[in-house]
């Protein structure tokens, strides 16, 4: 364990599958930054609620945003604990026994409370970070948020303290006696690809400084 | 609303973005079946916890499985409410203003309690459904679960009653006055692709009836 690791907390200590755990900051950052969406859960009236939403990161702060009236965001704003998960599915692990079928994946879980950002300048800066994550350089091309728009948007900031990553990669791990079974075994790898940009049907290309999107 | 729609419950009634809501069973089924993993959240000691995990569906029952000692599964097995989310990110929606940037996505949320399956035959059948979802025909090729393996695996069954889908697709929706801004706008579409299967490094091809995986 290096000095750059996250501290292990009771909630982030992986009990089973601990060989898949990582508390390395760089590993965690990479998993978070590569993902565009996360799942955010909290407790509302004693029951779990969850939304998928976009996220971004700056140093050891994790950010989400959305409509101020969103039930999940509002609950966290009111002090409810959050659990956030960022997941990449990298492949299906096809073993020789049903039991050892698995998935290759990289995931991060963050526990904590969120802080509502009130300062319009700070919110403006987070808007910029979000848009720049989607497409670098875009912030200077678009119309930036109005006061009204910033007011209608809630930005929540989470300190990345109770954080862990879980990673599985590579071959299936079969029981020794199963390796002679006459069945294919290995990994079916998957990944996200980006297809050609689709112009807005109302896009007027004559308005553009050049024809290249983003 | 057709007769095949899910009933709308207080928790599944989409208040904002209601034009993105769907309660259509076929739509919901398709979103669930196309996905290999979901996020499952519950409440443990009053706080939210969440795992990404594989899922499958049979009719109006939704299934997950895992190690019996998994904290999230165990909490649900002990009667804690669950909230399950299945999400596909389909693209980034690049608007002319920061505020209207969005994502195209299809998601399903299921609220409910899970039932632990105790009957070994029922668990065996669910193992089969899971493996067959990963690769049709594979169940008959692999070693099927032993009694011990079935015992170590918890299968949770959820009735799909409190269910809703949320879908966004298509162009950005900008404020009317922003359509003349000199910036590209449209969708950056993304999707999951499957690359060529990777043989297990210990695979002995001479054992196989044929060389085609899965």
């Amino acid at each position: 364990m290096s000095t750059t690791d996250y501290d292990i907390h009771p909630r982030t200590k992986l009990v089973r599958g601990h060989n898949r755990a990582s508390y390395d900051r760089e590993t965690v950052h990479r998993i978070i930054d590569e993902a565009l969406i996360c799942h955010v859960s909290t407790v509302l009236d004693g029951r779990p609620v969850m939304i998928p939403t976009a996220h971004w990161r700056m140093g050891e702060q994790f950010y989400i945003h959305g409509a101020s009236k969103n039930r999940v965001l509002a609950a966290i704003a009111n002090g409810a604990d959050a659990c956030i998960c960022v997941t990449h599915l990298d492949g299906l692990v096809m073993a020789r026994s049903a039991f050892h079928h698995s998935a290759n994946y990289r995931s991060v879980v963050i526990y904590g409370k969120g802080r509502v950002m009130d300062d319009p300048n700070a919110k403006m800066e987070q808007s910029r970070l979000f848009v720049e994550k989607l497409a670098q350089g875009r912030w200077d091309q678009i119309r930036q948020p109005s006061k009204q728009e910033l007011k209608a948007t809630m930005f929540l900031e989470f300190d990345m303290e109770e954080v862990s990553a879980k990673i599985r990669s590579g071959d299936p791990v079969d029981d020794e006696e199963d390796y002679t079974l006459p069945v294919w075994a290995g990994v079916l790898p998957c990944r996200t690809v980006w297809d050609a940009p689709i112009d807005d049907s109302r896009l007027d290309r004559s308005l553009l400084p050049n024809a290249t999107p983003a």
Side-chain angles (χ1 to χ4, degrees), chain A:
Chain A
M1 192 170 129
S2 83
T3 53
T4 66
D5 279 8
Y6 289 104
D7 291 338
I8 300 178
H9 296 256
R11 285 193 291 188
T12 61
K13 186 173 162 65
L14 296 196
V15 180
R16 285 155 324 85
H18 59 275
N19 55 328
R20 298 182 184 175
S22 170
Y23 300 92
D24 177 66
R25 283 177 201 270
E26 257 188 62
T27 303
V28 165
H29 292 176
R30 213 175 307 125
I31 291 169
I32 290 173
D33 296 350
E34 194 185 317
L36 289 157
I37 61 163
C38 65
H39 285 78
V40 178
S41 67
T42 187
V43 180
L44 186 60
D45 301 330
R47 299 157 104 182
V49 286
M50 173 165 28
I51 49 166
T53 192
H55 69 269
W56 62 100
R57 181 188 66 84
M58 175 55 89
E60 294 299 336
Q61 261 73 45
F62 185 97
Y63 297 94
I64 59 174
H65 71 336
S68 308
K69 285 168 187 162
N70 178 286
R71 289 186 307 163
V72 172
L73 300 187
I76 297 170
N78 285 331
D81 278 276
C83 176
I84 299 170
C85 189
V86 175
T87 307
H88 301 274
L89 178 66
D90 294 326
L92 295 176
V93 178
M94 310 301 274
R96 293 158 181 87
S97 65
F99 187 71
H100 286 298
H101 278 69
S102 184
N104 282 338
Y105 62 93
R106 291 161 291 143
S107 68
V108 164
V109 171
I110 303 171
Y111 294 97
K113 289 183 185 288
R115 259 189 314 278
V116 179
M117 306 185 75
D118 288 320
D119 176 25
N121 292 328
K123 291 169 83 166
M124 183 66 85
E125 171 63 5
Q126 291 309 322
S127 289
R128 187 183 72 80
L129 289 176
F130 169 59
V131 169
E132 287 291 297
K133 178 181 177 184
L134 301 186
Q136 229 187 322
R138 190 164 177 83
W139 181 251
D140 292 328
Q141 303 168 2
I142 55 168
R143 178 175 67 70
Q144 296 169 9
S146 67
K147 274 183 194 170
Q148 208 47 47
E149 287 172 341
L150 280 184
K151 209 172 165 182
T153 310
M154 181 184 286
F155 289 80
L156 286 172
E157 180 179 56
F158 299 85
D159 293 331
M160 290 174 54
E161 287 170 356
E162 285 190 58
V163 181
S164 63
K166 208 171 162 188
I167 297 168
R168 194 211 184 279
S169 62
D171 284 343
V173 177
D174 273 302
D175 292 349
E176 202 51 45
E177 59 270 29
D178 289 337
Y179 278 91
T180 51
L181 290 174
V183 58
W184 182 84
V187 171
L188 305 176
C190 65
R191 63 193 160 94
T192 300
V193 293
W194 294 87
D195 291 321
I198 300 167
D199 287 356
D200 180 357
S201 55
R202 290 185 60 182
L203 185 70
D204 180 353
R205 286 203 159 264
S206 71
L207 292 171
L208 303 185
N210 63 59
T212 316

